[in-house]
Amino acid sequence: MTENANKRPHPQSATILESAMAAMTNFASPALFDVTIICTTDDFQAAYWMDRLSSGICKKSESSTDAAYPMVLAVSEDWASSSGAGNGLGTLYAFQKACRVAKDKYGVDLASELMEEKVSAALYHTAGKGTRLAPLPASENNNKPGVKLPVTHTLTSGAKEPITVLEAVVRQTGIYASSRLGRLSVFWGDQIFVPTAPFQYTPTHHVDIMCTLEGEGDEPPTEKEWTERGLDKYGVIAVAKGESGDAAQVEKVDHPTAVRMLKNLGDIGRVGPSLGSFSVSAKVLEALCDEFKEELTAKDGKLDTDPHFWMPLTLPQEEYISLMSQKGVAEDESRTHHIRMTKMKESFLAANPELGLFGAVDVGSDACWWDYGQLKLYIANNLKLAENGADADLLRRFFGVTSRVMDSEVEGVTIDESSCVFACKAKSG
């Protein structure tokens, strides 16, 4: 999924995009989550990000009267298995570990603060070797999210240093914080987007997942449109018609298969590719931690959110088994897991009926998107800073680029009109 630099958003979308950009570039009073949790590969990276973010993007404002917030908690994924916990168990484990750090370091009961809707929290997944970005992570001691971008930002010391990919993501995603008191938001640490759908909203479901919903109104795509949009190549979120806004997820299926699998939703309204990022209420977060207590205690197993949380919670059993069989998962294993998740769902909704279970947060089908997770995209998006066009203008604005030469000492150097120079020192050339 990539941005279309030539696409012009609808006037209403353009207004929302402008509002989002204004919030993201308010450097004097940035929009931030109260608690920022970074899930890293090891303890050395965790210590680095605690210090780096606290003295930069997440620094306390001079006018702040709250001693605790904004709070940065960085933890390592010290899972027993070398294959990792998966982003499902990994999210739950990182949150529990962050709660212990918050208690030990700041005397804050984070789980209670979240349950009482006193704070908003965001977790950023960054663990891993960064193979798709190689060889750049090696220059940062394999600290993948520490890969630097050309532009600078100001730390509490007053020093200007190149901003990292993760810091840019933290700044961008903060626009959702005000809508998510009492919720844990989960993002990936290498993707920046500017929404063209409302980013301030009232959550209506215990789980909501970000997606780019296609079309207008409540009309689902035809089989032809499904294929033309390439929806058979993505994890897709489908939203039911009507006021409930209930949603379900399927993954890489054709139109007839999707219609069959989503029959429990009733009439399907809009659909679109999932971004993967999501938020959960404190109540369903607690329920998931309780359900997987054994795995979390033993640091054993590997479960991802899409196939092991969201799909068994939103698809009928036989359709879930069919979908998982395409991944090579045995029928008995899928059936047992679906029964487990269904039991949890029924018990949870009976006790917490105030919200629906699973919904969607539209970021807009013409949202602007910059992915730094692959080397070729990292290069392309950095070069875009020197290009012309609406998309390049937005990228420069996001990073506060107001001139082609910034934060540099280049007297005596000839710089042509097509180049950008940031954070450089040169005496001649």
Side-chain angles (χ1 to χ4, degrees), residues 31-36 70-71 120-122 124 173-174 176-177 180 185 187:
L32 292 171
F33 284 89
D34 297 307
V35 181
T36 297
M71 178 189 297
S120 60
Y124 299 84
T173 52
Y176 289 94
R180 293 180 172 179
S185 299
F187 301 101

Side-chain angles (χ1 to χ4, degrees), residues 298-362:
K299 302 182 186 180
D300 186 43
K302 183 176 182 179
L303 298 176
D304 289 312
T305 51
D306 291 353
H308 300 118
F309 289 2
W310 314 147
M311 286 192 280
L313 287 174
T314 60
L315 295 178
Q317 184 180 114
E318 294 306 316
E319 306 304 344
Y320 176 69
I321 292 171
S322 173
L323 192 150
M324 293 302 286
S325 70
Q326 298 174 24
K327 297 175 175 289
V329 180
E331 179 178 332
D332 288 347
E333 182 180 340
S334 297
R335 189 181 304 278
T336 299
H337 186 70
H338 192 280
I339 291 172
R340 177 184 188 181
M341 297 304 288
T342 299
K343 182 179 179 181
M344 188 207 87
K345 175 176 67 174
E346 291 174 348
S347 175
F348 176 78
L349 288 178
N352 304 279
E354 67 278 5
L355 297 175
L357 179 63
F358 189 83
V361 175
D362 184 20

Side-chain angles (χ1 to χ4, degrees), residues 191-265:
Q191 298 171 345
I192 302 170
F193 64 92
V194 184
T196 54
F199 55 89
Q200 293 181 329
Y201 71 105
T202 300
T204 56
H205 293 76
H206 286 287
V207 180
D208 57 28
I209 190 164
M210 289 183 161
C211 54
T212 56
L213 294 178
E214 305 278 351
E216 299 292 336
D218 278 338
E219 291 306 316
T222 63
E223 183 171 357
K224 180 181 178 182
E225 290 171 334
W226 186 278
T227 303
E228 288 175 346
R229 295 174 186 171
L231 296 177
D232 55 339
K233 298 179 176 64
Y234 295 108
V236 170
I237 304 300
V239 182
K241 287 184 177 181
E243 295 182 0
S244 74
D246 290 340
Q249 180 167 0
V250 294
E251 190 174 78
K252 298 179 181 178
V253 296
D254 59 23
H255 184 269
T257 303
V259 171
R260 187 187 76 242
M261 288 185 166
L262 296 167
K263 64 189 178 203
N264 66 319
L265 271 183

Side-chain angles (χ1 to χ4, degrees), residues 395-426:
L395 186 61
R396 282 190 289 269
R397 184 178 171 190
F398 175 80
F399 283 117
V401 175
T402 56
S403 171
R404 287 186 175 269
V405 179
M406 295 184 67
D407 305 318
S408 298
E409 298 176 15
V410 289
E411 290 184 13
V413 177
T414 301
I415 301 171
D416 64 39
E417 294 181 356
S418 64
S419 299
C420 290
V421 180
F422 307 116
C424 292
K425 292 183 178 181

